[in-house]
Amino acid sequence: MFHLLEQLEENGAATVSSTELGRQLGVNAYSVRKDISYLGEIGNCRGGYAVSKLKNHVSEKLGLNTGRSVCIVGLGRLGTAILHYERLAVSGLTIVAGFDSNINKLETIRTNIPLYPAHEITTIVKRGGIELAVLSVPAQAAAETAKRLIDGGIRGIVNFSPAVLSPAPGVFIRNIDLVAEFRIVSVLSLLNIKN
Amino acid sequence: MFHLLEQLEENGAATVSSTELGRQLGVNAYSVRKDISYLGEIGNCRGGYAVSKLKNHVSEKLGLNTGRSVCIVGLGRLGTAILHYERLAVSGLTIVAGFDSNINKLETIRTNIPLYPAHEITTIVKRGGIELAVLSVPAQAAAETAKRLIDGGIRGIVNFSPAVLSPAPGVFIRNIDLVAEFRIVSVLSLLNIKN
DNA sequence: CGATGTGAAAGGTTTCACAGCT
DNA sequence: AGCTGTGAAACCTTTCACATCG
């Protein structure tokens, strides 16, 4: 949704209607209006929403403009891919550190982002006031690593490992199990025609 | 869920109760039982579920055992990471091809999986009867690439690009916008304590 | 008119309570 | 007693109809 607004703005569109937004997002116009209305009114009934105004409005209400610091824990292929992901940088998130338990690996990765061994997680997170973390370590290391992050005072974790992390107070955890996603597609593509 | 069952089996657990499954999955026991019951009964009321029996039951009912072929389109860092992802291989999915529009890139990637230039997508997918695809190309290339896959007769697409693909009959599309996931964590970790 | 914002209906999912089996 | 399977209740989300505004 936000990405679409940015695209529209780049293309020089001044306004956009809920119908059009819905079409491009693959949902109906009701939902679009409902969602937008939760953030308070803004539309100028005649010509739809003013694109840049709506973008800023959403951005502000959701706190998307407040830059937040992120660290990547586990620099395997997936972790490294995220470390270099450009789209993150342009979305208010700054990657400020990377961690891996394999010290040799830290030296082979080319980046300007500072990298540290895994045992320093708690210290660095605490010192740098790092708010969010990406967990891309093997399943068996997930619980231990998460504990270190939480001890450092992390506020949110995006967990790519298949292990389900035990919830901690004040820490928001989002699990993304890639293999499960593939299974979903695999199963559902067999069954029905509609999404 | 499925991953947990495999783990339990490895650890030699013979049976498991819905309460215990729920605890480890971070949901309550009601949901676990409800979900399992949709696939038909199986539990032996006294000692909970027999782990391996349940695993096979789920596997069979969901068609997880029928090996399906997958191709990866767009061999950037993310695409390459998935190409090498071992956990996919052990979950009934076989990666049978990779595609990229940059021919030079195809030569630099070390793998046993056959790689092809992007313009051959339709041909190879059709010829190989490839069922599922991973789309990890830049947003502006997503629509065109998806069209080629669909022309080749693909059944399901896991779309990692931020572009929303227009739905096609008989093709199941699952969108995974990584930046959106980070925004969700970023926003929600600010607000509430509970997940 | 064309478009938004919103209360009410429809539909679906999660939670619960409890019968029934070992 | 301990646990499963399931109908009913509570809850939430999506869909719709329509009043309202420029």
Side-chain angles (χ1 to χ4, degrees):
Chain A
M1 156 88 188
F2 199 76
H3 182 254
L4 178 58
L5 285 175
E6 285 173 335
Q7 270 189 336
L8 288 170
E9 195 177 35
E10 273 176 35
N11 297 352
T15 64
V16 63
S17 73
S18 57
T19 317
E20 179 61 16
L21 272 175
R23 200 184 57 74
Q24 296 211 34
L25 291 169
V27 300
N28 53 43
Y30 318 124
S31 312
V32 174
R33 290 208 298 277
K34 190 67 117 182
D35 288 353
I36 291 176
S37 77
Y38 281 131
L39 305 174
E41 65 181 58
I42 186 173
N44 65 341
C45 299
R46 187 57 169 80
Y49 300 97
V51 173
S52 63
K53 194 174 165 189
L54 178 58
K55 202 198 74 177
N56 293 334
H57 188 69
V58 171
S59 186
E60 192 182 325
K61 287 284 183 180
L62 259 50
L64 259 41
N65 44 3
T66 66
R68 310 196 74 189
S69 51
V70 185
C71 65
I72 318 285
V73 186
L75 300 173
R77 289 181 197 272
L78 182 60
T80 312
I82 295 171
L83 192 73
H84 289 102
Y85 208 33
E86 299 134 19
R87 288 185 52 232
L88 272 191
V90 294
S91 66
L93 299 170
T94 314
I95 300 175
V96 296
F99 299 96
D100 199 286
S101 57
N102 184 344
I103 298 172
N104 297 330
K105 196 180 280 177
L106 299 180
E107 289 168 9
T108 65
I109 298 172
R110 287 236 205 138
T111 174
N112 294 325
I113 299 162
L115 305 179
Y116 309 91
H119 63 81
E120 294 188 23
I121 290 175
T122 306
T123 320
I124 302 286
V125 168
K126 197 176 288 180
R127 189 191 304 158
I130 303 176
E131 297 165 285
L132 306 176
V134 173
L135 198 55
S136 48
V137 301
Q140 62 269 23
E144 167 67 16
T145 313
K147 188 182 177 309
R148 289 183 187 170
L149 287 165
I150 292 168
D151 287 347
I154 210 83
R155 299 296 311 276
I157 298 177
V158 181
N159 173 31
F160 283 95
S161 94
V164 179
L165 304 178
S166 46
V171 183
F172 183 84
I173 297 174
R174 183 148 180 109
N175 298 300
I176 303 180
D177 184 339
L178 291 181
V179 173
E181 298 291 341
F182 282 94
R183 281 205 264 251
I184 289 170
V185 171
S186 176
V187 171
L188 294 187
S189 67
L190 281 173
L191 301 178
N192 48 14
I193 281 78
K194 78 184 283 267
N195 288 13
Chain B
M1 159 86 190
F2 198 76
H3 182 254
L4 177 59
L5 285 174
E6 284 173 337
Q7 268 189 336
L8 288 170
E9 196 177 36
E10 274 177 35
N11 296 353
T15 64
V16 63
S17 73
S18 58
T19 316
E20 179 60 16
L21 273 175
R23 201 184 57 74
Q24 296 211 33
L25 290 169
V27 299
N28 53 44
Y30 317 125
S31 312
V32 174
R33 290 208 298 277
K34 191 68 115 181
D35 289 354
I36 292 177
S37 78
Y38 281 132
L39 305 174
E41 64 182 58
I42 185 174
N44 66 339
C45 298
R46 187 55 170 81
Y49 301 97
V51 174
S52 64
K53 193 174 166 190
L54 178 57
K55 203 199 74 176
N56 293 335
H57 188 70
V58 171
S59 184
E60 192 183 324
K61 286 285 181 177
L62 259 49
L64 258 41
N65 44 3
T66 66
R68 310 196 73 189
S69 52
V70 185
C71 64
I72 317 286
V73 187
L75 299 172
R77 289 181 197 272
L78 182 60
T80 312
I82 295 171
L83 192 73
H84 290 102
Y85 208 33
E86 298 134 20
R87 289 186 51 232
L88 272 191
V90 293
S91 66
L93 298 170
T94 313
I95 300 176
V96 296
F99 299 96
D100 199 286
S101 56
N102 184 343
I103 299 171
N104 297 329
K105 196 179 281 176
L106 299 180
E107 290 168 10
T108 65
I109 298 172
R110 285 235 206 139
T111 174
N112 293 325
I113 298 162
L115 305 179
Y116 309 91
H119 63 81
E120 294 187 23
I121 291 174
T122 306
T123 320
I124 302 286
V125 168
K126 197 176 287 179
R127 190 192 302 157
I130 302 175
E131 297 164 284
L132 306 176
V134 173
L135 198 55
S136 49
V137 301
Q140 63 269 21
E144 167 68 15
T145 314
K147 187 183 178 306
R148 288 183 187 169
L149 286 166
I150 292 168
D151 287 348
I154 210 83
R155 298 297 309 278
I157 298 177
V158 181
N159 173 31
F160 283 95
S161 93
V164 179
L165 303 178
S166 46
V171 182
F172 183 84
I173 296 173
R174 182 148 180 109
N175 298 300
I176 302 179
D177 184 339
L178 291 181
V179 173
E181 299 291 340
F182 281 95
R183 281 206 264 253
I184 290 169
V185 172
S186 176
V187 171
L188 294 187
S189 67
L190 282 174
L191 301 180
N192 47 14
I193 281 79
K194 77 185 284 269
N195 288 14

